[in-house]
Amino acid sequence: MNRTSAARLAAAVLLATGAATALSVPAIAGPAAPYGTTASDTESYPAELLQAVQRDLGLNAEQAKVRLASDARSGEAEAKVREALGDAFAGAWIDSATGKLTVGVTDAAKSDAVRAHGAEAQVVPFSQRALIGTKTALDTLSAPQAITGWRVDDKSNSVVVEVNRHVCDAAADQFLAAAKAVSPAVRVVEVEHSPTTLYDTRGGDAYYMGSGGRCSVGFSVSGGFVTAGHCGRVGTTTSGYNRVSQGTFRGSSFPGNDYGWVATNSSWTSRPWVNRYNGTNVIVRGSSEAAVGATICRSGSTTGWRCGTVQAKNSTVNYPQGTVYGLTRTNACAEPGDSGGSWVAGTSFGQAQGVTSGGSGNCSSGGTTYFQPVNEILSVYGLRLTIG
């Protein structure tokens, strides 16, 4: 949104007395089951947890339950073995093939104490205390950018120092030499990428346009999010709720339509969430369209979570900036800054409906708000909704 558009929008908001206005804020300030564990031994787990474990670990439902139960017992066993071994304890890890706990021990004579707790013993040279001491010594060093980090690695019985092989330089070589001098337990591993800070893209959260003004995220999609078109033109840069660089508008249409999408950078991860502004999130499951008369709720960065009903579809709205067609009318309230935010309906409000366009009134006296249907946005830009 350029400064001229922002000024027009500010005027439209200030002059609106029952007339529809756009609602952006202007520029003002598969492993095997673990040994000894069966499905009958497991507890009841939330469906969302089981679904995530199945998806990300490649397990079926029964294997996921068995794995979670076994992991819990391994944690309990590790605490007991750690106490029994004392200074001979050298870390513990769950074997990826068997699911069984393996414990490092520096004194072979104490291996039986490990087995007594149902774990496997592996004799290694460095105790965990020694490894932690080495890692602590490295923490006092100043690392160049090519060094991406270091950690105690129980399984390899070492302190792993990672270096980005593509940017390794003389400063990195000097750091690695100093690290190796601390202890023979230091092991260098080359990696392809350097870590960056990561943030979640979530419906209803604020974002800021590079030229000024604030709007709200609609829904996460593959590689970014959808929002209102009046919030920015193609090429407009955005920063997130935390003012961290976020992305760029790759598509925008307003007036006529009121939709756009932002491609986010690698610091942002698309999540299937809508902020309910009470410490919880709605999980987006799909985008089945709600009927006229259905209950519907919206999320936005100015007024948070607000609900109402669908009053009409395919509405034409005549904004001061031009006419927009095909909007859905509701009696849920909204205010400037809520533009672009999420509308959801259906069971547990898991069905994405659209992104806030504009309206009249406010959340003190009530009002009318219109949204741009999300399925049209996804179709126009060939985007895939991020669902849970």
Side-chain angles (χ1 to χ4, degrees), residues 124-386:
V124 294
F126 303 108
S127 69
Q128 187 174 72
R129 178 174 293 182
L131 294 175
I132 292 173
T134 297
K135 192 265 181 184
T136 301
L138 297 188
D139 288 344
T140 66
L141 303 179
S142 178
Q145 197 62 50
I147 304 299
T148 65
W150 50 91
R151 66 185 187 278
V152 171
D153 184 54
D154 288 349
K155 192 171 183 178
S156 65
N157 194 233
S158 65
V159 176
V160 172
V161 179
E162 293 184 346
V163 57
N164 187 324
R165 62 187 298 269
H166 300 292
V167 293
C168 189
D169 53 16
D173 289 338
Q174 292 175 0
F175 180 91
L176 294 176
K180 291 177 181 178
V182 171
S183 168
V186 171
R187 182 167 66 95
V188 177
V189 174
E190 292 186 348
V191 296
E192 293 293 323
H193 305 285
S194 296
T196 59
T197 50
L198 301 175
Y199 309 97
D200 293 323
T201 303
R202 174 177 61 173
D205 283 356
Y207 71 90
Y208 299 86
M209 289 73 78
S211 55
R214 168 172 57 84
C215 277
S216 300
V217 173
F219 295 96
S220 294
V221 297
S222 48
F225 63 87
V226 295
T227 188
H230 74 261
C231 291
R233 295 291 178 248
V234 173
T236 298
T237 59
T238 68
S239 57
Y241 63 89
N242 50 9
R243 299 285 188 166
V244 171
S245 175
Q246 180 187 63
T248 305
F249 270 82
R250 293 291 179 83
S252 178
S253 179
F254 179 80
N257 306 292
D258 194 3
Y259 52 63
W261 82 281
V262 173
T264 52
N265 59 42
S266 59
S267 294
W268 294 83
T269 301
S270 295
R271 301 295 190 187
W273 302 333
V274 171
N275 190 347
R276 209 193 303 256
Y277 281 92
N278 66 352
T280 68
N281 299 316
V282 167
I283 300 177
V284 178
R285 305 293 190 186
S287 57
S288 297
E289 188 175 318
V292 171
T295 300
I296 192 165
C297 294
R298 48 150 293 272
S299 179
S301 58
T302 298
T303 59
W305 180 256
R306 303 284 176 158
C307 299
T309 58
V310 176
Q311 294 183 318
K313 299 182 181 181
N314 196 27
S315 300
T316 298
V317 180
N318 192 29
Y319 292 120
Q321 300 91 345
T323 303
V324 177
Y325 308 91
L327 300 181
T328 298
R329 175 189 170 100
T330 78
N331 60 3
C333 70
E335 296 181 5
D338 290 327
S339 269
S342 326
W343 288 80
V344 289
T347 304
S348 300
F349 295 101
Q351 298 299 315
Q353 299 298 305
V355 301
T356 299
S357 174
S360 58
N362 55 50
C363 287
S364 295
S365 60
T368 298
T369 307
Y370 298 89
F371 68 80
Q372 174 77 58
V374 70
N375 285 330
E376 181 181 357
I377 310 174
L378 300 176
S379 175
V380 167
Y381 294 122
L383 301 171
R384 187 176 70 254
L385 190 67
T386 300

